[in-house]
Amino acid sequence: GNMSSRKGLNSACSVHEYTGSFLGQSAHFKMTSVCGHVMTLDFIGKYNSWDKVDPAELFSKAPTEKKEANPKLTMVKFLQVEGRGCDCIVLWLDCDKEGENICFEVLDAVLPVMNKPRGTERTIYRAKFSSITDTDICNAMNHLGEPNRNEALSVDARQELDLRIGCAFTRFQTKYFQGKYGNLDSSLISFGPCQTPTLGFCVERHDKIQSFKPETYWVLQAKVNPEKESSLTLDWDRVRVFDREVAQMFLNITKMAKEAKVESVSKKEKVKQRPLALNTVEMLRVASAALGMGPQHAMQIAERLYTQGYISYPRTETTHYPENFDLKGCLRQQANNPYWAETVKVLLSEGINRPRKGHDAGDHPPITPMRAATEAELGGDGWRLYEYITRHFIATVSADCKYLQTTISFSIGPERFTCVGKVVTSPGFTEIMPWHSIPLEESLPHCEKGDLFPIGEIKLLEKQTSPPDYLTEAELITLMEKHGIGTDASIPVHINNICQRNYVTVESGRRLKPTNLGIVLVHGYYKIDAELVLPTIRSAVEKQLNLIALGKANYHQVLEHTLDIFKRKFHYFVDSIAGMDELMEVSFSPLAATGKPLSRCGKCHRFMKYIQAKPSRLHCSHCDDTYSLPQNGTIKLYKELRCPLDDFELVLWSSGSRGKSYPLCPYCYNHPPFRDMKKGMGCNECTHPTCQHSLSMLGIGQCVECENGVLVLDSTSGPKWKMACNKCNVVVHFFENAHKVRVSPETCDLCEAALVDVDFNKAKSPLPGDETQHSGCVFCDPVFQDLVELKHAAMRHPMHRGGQGKRQGRGRGKGRRPGGRLNPKKPKDKMAALAAYFV
C-alpha cells in the first residue's frame, strides 16, 4: 500500500498515514510517537523556591501538578492536533510500567478531542509486543488489549514519593552544609530513597577495606616428580595455618618422608551448565565487568538496538522463554554471520536444546537477537553489546559443557595432599562463549592406589590475608537486585547519580570508590537514622508499589503511609543534624577558611573570598553572607568597577577565550534589583537604564538564532571584539584589531538594531578609503559585512544571505522577534519502523 509521511508541528515526531483494515473494517490510520514521558510531576510554582519554603512542607502540604516534560516539544498540543476527529486509539508504548504510565498521559491529552464513542463502543486499545519484528507486530495487532491503570498508578506513586522525599532532604542538607563548608566539591548534596542506599553499599565496602587488619598465615607446598622431567604441585588438605610454630612442625614431619604415596584416584564426569536466558540485570553486569561499559551507557545502546529492530525489548526481569517462543527462527537469523555461522548450522542440523528453566516475571521474554547484523552496521559499542547478546542467546540453546575431573590424593608422612585435573569431553556452549571454557591444565600422570612418587621439594610459604577490593559496578548491580533497590530500568540511573554527585569515582576495572563527601554522608545517616541508608525500608516500599501494580494495594493509602514515615524521619533528621555536622567538621573546611580574597563586599567594603570548589561562590566572613555565581567557567575581578545600585565590586565570568564572557554584580545576581529580572542574571541581562555595563547600554540586536536572546557587546573582548547572546551560546566575532567599539544610542532604520561606532588604528584599518572611523549597523551596513563572523550558529540575517528589505529585529532588547526559526534538535523517531509493518 501507500504511506505518506510528514513532520508533526513540533518537528520532533513524524506522522505516517495510510489506509488499511482495523477489526474487519476499512480505516484511515495515523501513526506517530512521543519522546519519553509526555508529563512530569513537580510542585506548583511557589513551592519550587528553596529560599521561601520550609522543606518539611513538601511532604504533604505542598500541592503537586503534572507539567509538560519538555515544553519546547509542545507534545500535548501536537497529540491533540493529530488526535482530533479520530474514532479509536491504539497505544504502542513500551510494554513495561513506565510505558503503561505514558499510555495514560497520551489518553489524557487526546481523549477530549477524539470523537465520542457511540453507546458502549470500545475506542481505546493497547498493543502488547516485545520486539519490532513482523511476527510480533502483527500478532500484537491481532490480540489488542487494554492499558493497565494499576501499573500506571504504581509509577505515579513512585514519582510522587521520590519527588517529595528527595526534594525535602536534598534542599535541607544542601542549604545547611553549603552555608557552612567551602570545599564540599558538589553543587548539590542530594538524597534519594534509592540513590542513598546505593551509595551505602559502596561505603560499606570502603569501611570493610579500612577496618581490615591483614593476618599472616603459612601454607605447605609440595612438589612430586612422577617422571624425571616433569613435576606436579600438590595442594595441602589443611589449606593454611595461622601459627608459625605449628606450620614449622608440619614441615619438619613431612620432610622426614622421602616419597609421596597415592592414597586414592577418583574420576568423575562433571557438567558446567549453559547460562540462563539473558535479562536486563545480567546484561548490565556483563557490560560493566567484561565490556567496560557503564550501566547507563549500556542501557542507552540496548535501547537503540531495540528501536532499530536488532534485539528484543531490553528491559525485562525474565530469564525463561515461553513455550511458544520461536527459538529456531531467531537462531536461523544468525546462520550467515562469519563469527558463529558454523556453531549455528550444527545446532540447526542436530537440533537445539531447550533453554534452562529460569524465572518468569511475567513481563517480557529474555533479551534475544531478532535480526542479523554486522560490525560495520552497528559499529563500536553497539556491535560489542549486540555480539554478547547473540553469543549468550546461542549459548542458551547449546549443550552443557562436560568434562572429566580426576582427583589424586597423596600422603606425605601423616599429612594429606591433593591434585586435581580436568579434561573437557564435550565443550558445548563454551565454543560460543570461550571465556567460560575450562582452562587447559597439565595432564595428570596415570597412577593407581599405592604408587610411590619421589618428592621434588617441600617448602613453607608465608602469605597474608588481603582486604576485599572496592565494589565493581557489576557487584553493586547484584546487591541492588538482591535487596530490591530500584528496578531493572532505574538501577543504571541510580548508579549514574552517585557518580554525577561526586559521591563516588569510577576507578580502573570500573570499581566504585567513595569520595570524602560520600563517606561522611553515609556515616552521618548511620549516626542519625540508619534506615535512611539501609536497603530495608526502600525494599519494603518497592514491594508496596508492586502490589499497587497488581491491584492488591490502594494507591492513596500506600502514598500516605510512606510519606508519613519519611516525614517523621525528616523531622528527626533535622533535629539531629549536629551529629552529621560533627563528621563534616573533621573532613571539610568552614567557608571562612576556604577560598582566596577576590572582590569587595558592598556592605562592609571588606574583601569577599572566592570559593572555587563546586558550587563556586563568594563568601563575606564579616557579614556572614554567601553569594552564588555562574558555574562551569572562570571568575576574576572586573577592573575594580562597582555596581551603581549596591556598591559591590563587579566580577567577570568567562567560559574561555573562544566562548562568551560577561560581568555581574554578586549581589544583583542573587537578589534581582528589577521586577523583570530573575535570580541568576548578569549585567548582560540587567535592565538598569543608565549603568554602563547593562543590557540597555550594550545590547545591539535580536539574537540570530534563539527566540528571546539579545546580542550584547562584550566590552572586555578587544582587540578580538565580539558580541554574545545573553540567552544561548551564539557568539559573533567582529572588527578584529579595532581600537574601540562602542554601542551608539542611534538605531538602524532597516532592522531596529543599535548602531555601532568602530574606531581603527590607521595602520590596521580595513575600512574603505583608509578611513579609521565608521558608524553603522552590524547586520545591514555593507561596509561591515566582511568584518562580522558568526560562531555556533547559522547566520540568518538578510544582509548576510544577500537578502535585502525591511526586517524585524531587536534593538536594546526592545525590538520585535524576527520570523523564521531553525527547527529544534530532533529526537530519534521510533515509530517509523512500526508504521512500515502495517503498510
Side-chain angles (χ1 to χ4, degrees):
N2 291 324
M3 173 174 80
S4 68
S5 296
R6 59 185 166 80
K7 280 286 175 204
L9 68 85
N10 64 2
S11 301
C13 304
S14 302
V15 183
H16 311 280
E17 297 190 54
Y18 53 93
T19 305
S21 76
F22 181 65
L23 303 178
Q25 295 181 344
S26 175
H28 178 74
F29 288 85
K30 262 189 194 182
M31 183 156 231
T32 189
S33 62
V34 291
C35 303
H37 275 280
V38 180
M39 309 301 281
T40 185
L41 190 73
D42 201 357
F43 295 112
I44 63 164
K46 72 171 190 176
Y47 286 94
N48 279 319
S49 166
W50 283 44
D51 299 321
K52 296 174 185 169
V53 176
D54 176 0
E57 292 182 23
L58 302 180
F59 283 98
S60 50
K61 193 176 171 187
T64 57
E65 62 179 346
K66 291 263 188 179
K67 296 176 180 172
E68 281 206 50
N70 188 342
K72 285 184 182 171
L73 290 177
T74 57
M75 198 58 79
V76 172
K77 186 180 176 187
F78 161 69
L79 289 171
Q80 289 180 340
V81 166
E82 298 303 338
R84 193 174 299 282
C86 288
D87 295 310
C88 297
I89 181 167
V90 183
L91 298 152
W92 288 86
L93 282 307
D94 289 344
C95 296
D96 58 8
K97 291 180 187 133
E98 296 289 338
E100 279 328 288
N101 190 266
I102 300 172
C103 281
F104 286 94
E105 292 175 356
V106 171
L107 290 175
D108 288 342
V110 297
L111 284 181
V113 297
M114 282 173 59
N115 293 337
K116 296 286 175 277
R118 293 186 281 278
T120 56
E121 188 182 34
R122 187 175 157 203
T123 58
I124 300 166
Y125 299 88
R126 172 74 163 115
K128 296 273 182 185
F129 59 102
S130 294
S131 65
I132 302 177
T133 59
D134 306 39
T135 323
D136 234 33
I137 297 302
C138 295
N139 195 31
M141 193 62 162
N142 294 331
H143 299 90
L144 294 172
E146 290 183 9
N148 186 324
R149 170 68 74 179
N150 290 328
E151 286 192 357
L153 279 174
S154 77
V155 174
D156 282 340
R158 179 183 279 108
Q159 284 179 350
E160 187 161 343
L161 288 175
D162 289 353
L163 176 75
R164 290 184 182 279
I165 297 165
C167 283
F169 278 92
T170 299
R171 286 186 192 182
F172 171 71
Q173 61 189 26
T174 301
K175 284 184 72 177
Y176 185 87
F177 291 121
Q178 279 185 358
K180 290 190 76 170
Y181 301 102
N183 55 343
L184 295 175
D185 210 24
S186 180
S187 45
L188 196 70
I189 303 172
S190 64
F191 174 93
C194 288
Q195 173 194 305
T196 305
T198 304
L199 174 61
F201 291 130
C202 299
V203 175
E204 187 184 3
R205 176 62 64 89
H206 167 84
D207 291 343
K208 278 182 184 166
I209 294 168
Q210 294 302 309
S211 60
F212 184 84
K213 288 186 173 62
E215 282 187 88
T216 307
Y217 64 91
W218 289 266
V219 176
L220 210 52
Q221 190 188 68
K223 285 186 180 176
V224 295
N225 301 337
E227 292 159 18
K228 277 189 178 176
E229 296 300 313
S230 64
S231 80
L232 204 59
T233 305
L234 310 183
D235 296 321
W236 191 23
D237 281 13
R238 291 186 195 272
V239 185
R240 60 188 182 181
V241 293
F242 286 88
D243 187 314
R244 171 78 205 235
E245 289 176 9
V246 172
Q248 190 64 46
M249 179 194 75
F250 283 126
L251 178 69
N252 296 340
I253 292 171
T254 50
K255 277 206 163 171
M256 291 162 75
K258 295 283 175 278
E259 289 176 312
K261 182 182 176 186
V262 176
E263 294 291 337
S264 66
V265 179
S266 68
K267 295 195 176 198
K268 219 177 196 178
E269 189 167 81
K270 293 211 160 186
V271 171
K272 185 171 184 176
Q273 280 192 310
R274 60 194 183 277
L276 283 167
L278 188 64
N279 67 2
T280 308
V281 169
E282 181 59 20
M283 178 188 75
L284 294 176
R285 266 199 291 256
V286 172
S288 175
L291 305 178
M293 293 182 206
Q296 183 100 337
H297 179 54
M299 204 67 223
Q300 286 165 350
I301 291 170
E303 283 169 359
R304 194 184 81 220
L305 291 172
Y306 161 66
T307 56
Q308 293 171 342
Y310 290 108
I311 63 170
S312 62
Y313 192 59
R315 289 200 187 108
T316 176
E317 293 172 22
T318 296
T319 56
H320 176 73
Y321 281 107
E323 294 302 319
N324 60 352
F325 193 91
D326 184 11
L327 293 163
K328 277 191 176 171
C330 291
L331 199 56
R332 276 190 211 101
Q333 294 273 1
Q334 304 297 335
N336 295 320
N337 190 302
Y339 289 103
W340 42 74
E342 282 183 30
T343 311
V344 169
K345 282 170 184 167
V346 169
L347 278 171
L348 288 169
S349 61
E350 293 179 4
I352 63 170
N353 284 293
R354 276 293 310 164
R356 285 167 57 196
K357 187 166 173 54
H359 166 66
D360 184 1
D363 49 0
H364 286 271
I367 304 167
T368 311
M370 301 312 291
R371 73 173 216 236
T374 63
E375 191 168 354
E377 264 175 83
L378 302 179
D381 288 348
W383 166 254
R384 289 166 64 225
L385 189 61
Y386 173 83
E387 181 188 11
Y388 174 73
I389 291 167
T390 307
R391 285 183 183 274
H392 191 110
F393 166 68
I394 298 168
T396 60
V397 293
S398 300
D400 290 337
C401 170
K402 292 176 182 166
Y403 60 95
L404 192 65
Q405 181 168 301
T406 307
T407 308
I408 306 173
S409 183
F410 292 88
S411 63
I412 301 176
E415 285 306 291
R416 287 291 185 102
F417 294 83
T418 308
C419 186
V420 178
K422 296 171 186 169
V423 179
V424 174
T425 52
S426 163
F429 79 93
T430 60
E431 281 187 333
I432 194 75
M433 297 176 97
W435 56 91
H436 280 304
S437 56
I438 305 294
L440 287 168
E441 293 174 351
E442 286 183 51
S443 55
L444 296 184
H446 181 73
C447 56
E448 290 174 7
K449 186 178 177 183
D451 286 357
L452 297 171
F453 289 123
I455 295 168
E457 65 166 340
I458 295 184
K459 59 182 178 183
L460 208 54
L461 300 178
E462 184 179 301
K463 296 187 175 183
Q464 276 198 325
T465 54
S466 55
D469 214 331
Y470 283 105
L471 278 182
T472 62
E473 280 173 336
E475 291 166 335
L476 178 58
I477 291 165
T478 306
L479 282 169
M480 291 172 76
E481 184 192 32
K482 179 183 167 189
H483 291 282
I485 299 298
T487 61
D488 51 2
S490 66
I491 282 173
V493 179
H494 302 313
I495 296 175
N496 190 52
N497 279 346
I498 62 171
C499 298
Q500 295 286 316
R501 299 280 182 263
N502 196 32
Y503 294 161
V504 298
T505 55
V506 182
E507 306 289 308
S508 64
R510 299 209 69 83
R511 294 190 177 276
L512 300 168
K513 185 178 179 183
T515 61
N516 243 356
L517 179 59
I519 295 163
V520 170
L521 278 176
V522 168
H523 289 174
Y525 294 133
Y526 270 120
K527 198 171 174 184
I528 296 171
D529 180 357
E531 281 191 335
L532 291 174
V533 75
L534 288 171
T536 43
I537 196 160
R538 182 60 192 194
S539 187
V541 171
E542 288 288 351
K543 284 179 185 146
Q544 291 293 313
L545 295 174
N546 282 332
L547 289 175
I548 294 175
L550 296 168
K552 294 178 180 176
N554 180 285
Y555 163 80
H556 295 290
Q557 284 174 349
V558 170
L559 210 58
E560 202 174 316
H561 175 66
T562 311
L563 286 173
D564 184 52
I565 290 171
F566 273 97
K567 187 176 182 179
R568 289 162 191 247
K569 287 185 172 299
F570 177 77
H571 284 298
Y572 183 69
F573 180 71
V574 172
D575 293 342
S576 317
I577 193 68
M580 190 185 273
D581 203 17
E582 285 167 12
L583 300 176
M584 284 278 188
E585 277 175 355
V586 176
S587 298
F588 300 104
S589 315
L591 275 176
T594 24
K596 54 184 183 186
L598 180 75
S599 68
R600 289 182 185 273
C601 168
K603 297 177 185 174
C604 67
H605 298 289
R606 288 179 170 85
F607 276 107
M608 296 191 290
K609 282 190 171 176
Y610 171 44
I611 294 148
Q612 272 181 294
K614 278 187 180 174
S616 55
R617 52 211 191 273
L618 285 167
H619 177 70
C620 176
S621 48
H622 184 262
C623 305
D624 197 19
D625 283 332
T626 305
Y627 301 97
S628 56
L629 295 169
Q631 303 300 306
N632 307 320
T634 57
I635 292 278
K636 55 187 182 185
L637 193 60
Y638 185 52
K639 304 176 186 172
E640 295 188 6
L641 295 168
R642 293 177 183 263
C643 173
L645 294 170
D646 48 46
D647 216 25
F648 272 72
E649 278 188 339
L650 302 183
V651 292
L652 184 73
W653 177 86
S654 171
S655 64
S657 58
R658 305 187 64 176
K660 65 180 193 179
S661 55
Y662 57 84
L664 62 110
C665 161
Y667 190 82
C668 296
Y669 187 82
N670 289 272
H671 307 95
F674 303 113
R675 276 189 185 172
D676 54 357
M677 285 177 69
K678 288 184 186 151
K679 194 172 174 178
M681 286 185 168
C683 297
N684 63 346
E685 292 183 80
C686 174
T687 50
H688 192 295
T690 57
C691 173
Q692 63 185 40
H693 318 291
S694 72
L695 169 66
S696 309
M697 299 303 280
L698 297 176
I700 292 176
Q702 157 91 42
C703 175
V704 292
E705 182 157 292
C706 73
E707 204 164 307
N708 303 316
V710 181
L711 290 166
V712 181
L713 174 68
D714 182 348
S715 52
T716 66
S717 58
K720 296 190 173 182
W721 298 94
K722 60 189 175 189
M723 56 180 176
C725 176
N726 60 7
K727 291 278 192 279
C728 72
N729 64 350
V730 167
V731 178
V732 179
H733 293 266
F734 53 14
F735 314 129
E736 193 167 346
N737 296 321
H739 175 55
K740 266 188 193 160
V741 176
R742 284 183 302 273
V743 182
S744 160
E746 311 291 320
T747 55
C748 172
D749 295 336
L750 283 174
C751 72
E752 297 181 18
L755 300 185
V756 176
D757 301 331
V758 187
D759 194 347
F760 280 97
N761 288 330
K762 198 159 193 178
K764 292 183 177 176
S765 176
L767 298 175
D770 288 340
E771 285 189 30
T772 57
Q773 291 180 331
H774 187 79
S775 184
C777 174
V778 173
F779 304 109
C780 309
D781 194 321
V783 174
F784 285 162
Q785 195 165 337
D786 295 331
L787 306 179
V788 177
E789 175 199 351
L790 176 67
K791 292 280 168 72
H792 302 306
M795 180 62 92
R796 211 196 284 107
H797 202 280
M799 278 309 298
H800 294 270
R801 285 190 316 207
Q804 283 288 350
K806 184 156 175 79
R807 281 280 287 193
Q808 295 176 352
R810 169 171 296 191
R812 310 292 175 113
K814 298 188 286 285
R816 300 182 295 280
R817 74 175 239 211
R821 284 193 66 215
L822 282 180
N823 292 331
K825 191 176 178 189
K826 302 168 186 64
K828 198 167 249 160
D829 182 51
K830 177 168 156 183
M831 303 310 275
L834 271 176
Y837 289 106
F838 295 121
V839 180

